[in-house]
Amino acid sequence: MSTTTAYGVDGMTCGHCVASVTEEIGLIAGAENVTVELVKGGTSQVTVTSADTLDRALVAAAVEEAGYQLVAAA
């Protein structure tokens, strides 16, 4: 059974940003699908479907590798 988790990401402004974040998160073991709802100049929503719940630290590291910031959990 898959798990879907939404994350907020700040700093994305264009399609290239979306592609970078999608690629980096997609490299995490267990990640199956990554979708991004871009909000220019705001907090974009990144939804990740994975085999099991991903370690938030791994997701944060992937987002930072792409050059952006994971928003603190609400």
Side-chain angles (χ1 to χ4, degrees), residues 46-70:
V46 178
T47 303
V48 182
T49 302
S50 53
D52 290 306
T53 302
L54 298 178
D55 183 337
R56 186 174 174 82
L58 290 176
V59 176
V63 168
E64 288 171 15
E65 179 68 26
Y68 308 100
Q69 189 70 42
L70 193 66

Side-chain angles (χ1 to χ4, degrees), residues 7-69:
Y7 302 93
V9 177
D10 281 345
M12 294 192 290
T13 59
C14 65
H16 177 73
C17 304
V18 170
S20 295
V21 169
T22 300
E23 178 181 358
E24 290 297 332
I25 294 175
L27 294 174
I28 298 172
E32 297 171 349
N33 187 45
V34 180
T35 58
V36 178
E37 183 180 328
L38 179 63
V39 178
K40 294 180 182 179
T43 300
S44 299
Q45 181 170 307
V46 178
T47 303
V48 182
T49 302
S50 53
D52 290 306
T53 302
L54 298 178
D55 183 337
R56 186 174 174 82
L58 290 176
V59 176
V63 168
E64 288 171 15
E65 179 68 26
Y68 308 100
Q69 189 70 42

